[in-house]
Amino acid sequence: ELLATHQREVPELLAELQGIASGCGLPFRIVLAVSLAEELSYFAPVEMGLRANRSADHCSDYAFCTAAHCADVHNEDGDLADGKLFTGFVRLGASNFTVLNYAGDLLGGMSAMAFNSHGLAFSLNWVGPASCDTRGLGRNFVSRLLLEATSWEEAREVISRRHAVGHNYQLMDFRRRQIANFEVAQEKVSERRILEPFFHANQYQTLEVPGQIINNSSSHRLARVAQLPKPQTPEDALRILGDQEDRSYPIFHDNLSHARGELSDWTLASVLFDLDKGSVELMAGNPASLKVQRRFLVPTGRPPSTGPRSKDVLI
């Protein structure tokens, strides 16, 4: 049923998956199943033990867009085995975009960061509706389509397409200096314009979703952030995303937190989207250290900010 939906709605993305399957020498149905792993898990027999995986401990975002600063910081969390991320600078026809992507997934479908030549960027968080609707698109396919958006309005239309399950998007427009948090559950969508600091983990906070799946890690991260002062600068937000005070379910997950008894997963990458500087920074190690591993420039239509730039990449 899911295959039939995608053949009808996004045949061009199935062609991309065919290319991935051919390139890595795997059957197409295997690569498709990987891209729809979240959606398919709703139908897994209980004895397979896969349904519990829907209670994911994946990702955090802290966004704000005040008169002084407009930024989003993102922790990309997941299983340690998923840590094979790569940077892609992609031109496909008229499309031009940059992603930090998981190997084997649709570009932008599962990514730690993504932005295109129109100044649109996004980060993604897992959320868990109670059921799967096979008439909707897989979340990876929606975010792949989002890379093709040329305007805020077009991006909103993409996000609003019926999902098989649901997803959370932080959508950023570097040219118009604005951020919004979108929560989607199948055909239901909420849009929350970000002004004052807003933290999002892995549960619906704006959209009413009966029976949603909430995990311990998300509840602990939200509780810990509530104890901390709201960030006033991007650096403040990075320090919060590096917080490890909660020993069982910290905001930032690494070897140190696991040695202390962490019960959650791993942070695979931390990213700063700075809409004022027109840059996306991939942090090195714990983001609280404020060390930048790589810096990317995003088209803003404004003169670039001054100052030293190490390892800049222009698309």
Side-chain angles (χ1 to χ4, degrees):
E1 292 174 6
L2 285 166
L3 176 57
T5 295
H6 289 74
Q7 286 174 329
R8 181 179 65 253
E9 299 290 334
V10 286
E12 72 282 7
L13 299 190
L14 292 185
E16 284 192 20
L17 276 182
Q18 289 278 11
I20 293 173
S22 176
C24 65
L26 289 173
F28 169 71
R29 292 181 70 85
I30 295 295
V31 177
L32 177 64
V34 169
S35 293
L36 292 172
E38 171 62 26
E39 292 75 16
L40 290 170
S41 71
Y42 279 79
F43 305 101
V46 174
E47 58 268 21
M48 290 181 65
L50 296 177
R51 291 189 178 185
N53 292 341
R54 300 211 310 271
S55 182
D57 301 332
H58 292 175
C59 307
S60 304
D61 273 86
Y62 217 149
F64 53 99
C65 200
T66 63
H69 298 283
C70 192
D72 175 64
V73 292
H74 174 76
N75 274 353
E76 182 66 21
D77 299 337
D79 297 330
L80 192 59
D82 291 333
K84 293 180 172 58
L85 296 167
F86 68 93
T87 304
F89 308 98
V90 183
R91 293 182 186 273
L92 287 173
S95 300
N96 184 0
F97 50 83
T98 299
V99 295
L100 181 61
N101 218 77
Y102 288 82
D105 273 311
L106 284 167
L107 293 168
M110 284 296 291
S111 60
M113 65 141 198
F115 65 90
N116 67 20
S117 57
H118 300 283
L120 296 172
F122 59 86
S123 64
L124 308 165
N125 287 328
W126 178 94
V127 283
S131 62
C132 177
D133 181 350
T134 58
R135 297 171 297 173
L137 293 176
R139 58 181 185 158
N140 289 356
F141 292 82
V142 177
S143 43
R144 169 64 185 90
L145 291 173
L146 197 52
L147 286 172
E148 307 287 344
T150 61
S151 67
W152 183 272
E153 293 72 23
E154 188 176 339
R156 181 191 287 121
E157 290 180 5
V158 170
I159 291 172
S160 299
R161 294 186 67 164
R162 181 193 289 267
H163 287 50
V165 181
H167 217 20
N168 167 242
Y169 305 84
Q170 282 62 234
L171 179 64
M172 290 156 269
D173 189 334
F174 276 70
R175 294 184 174 179
R176 294 164 65 174
R177 195 181 182 269
Q178 64 183 30
I179 304 174
N181 176 278
F182 290 84
E183 293 180 346
V184 185
Q186 293 153 357
E187 75 281 1
K188 297 169 62 177
V189 183
S190 70
E191 177 180 354
R192 178 173 183 155
R193 178 74 179 272
I194 300 300
L195 298 174
E196 296 304 312
F198 176 66
F199 180 79
H200 199 282
N202 302 117
Q203 64 189 66
Y204 290 99
Q205 295 170 235
T206 304
L207 196 63
E208 186 68 27
V209 182
Q212 70 161 306
I213 302 162
I214 298 176
N215 57 69
N216 286 331
S217 175
S218 185
S219 299
H220 277 246
R221 282 176 279 150
L222 286 163
R224 174 58 182 158
V225 166
Q227 297 172 348
L228 299 171
K230 291 187 176 181
Q232 302 299 310
T233 67
E235 291 75 19
D236 291 343
L238 286 169
R239 293 185 182 98
I240 291 172
L241 255 63
D243 185 87
Q244 297 182 311
E245 188 67 24
D246 186 324
R247 294 297 181 92
S248 297
Y249 297 99
I251 299 173
F252 183 80
H253 323 283
D254 62 359
N255 288 331
L256 176 62
S257 65
H258 280 272
R260 291 173 172 174
E262 149 131 40
L263 302 174
S264 189
D265 50 18
W266 302 79
T267 300
L268 308 177
S270 296
V271 182
L272 164 61
F273 298 84
D274 193 321
L275 280 70
D276 294 313
K277 293 182 179 179
S279 64
V280 177
E281 294 181 343
L282 175 63
M283 310 307 293
N286 189 314
S289 68
L290 306 182
K291 294 180 181 178
V292 178
Q293 178 177 334
R294 193 166 190 179
R295 190 171 191 265
F296 307 85
L297 299 184
V298 183
T300 63
R302 305 188 304 269
S305 60
T306 58
R309 289 180 175 151
S310 175
K311 299 182 180 178
D312 282 356
V313 178
L314 273 170
I315 67 169

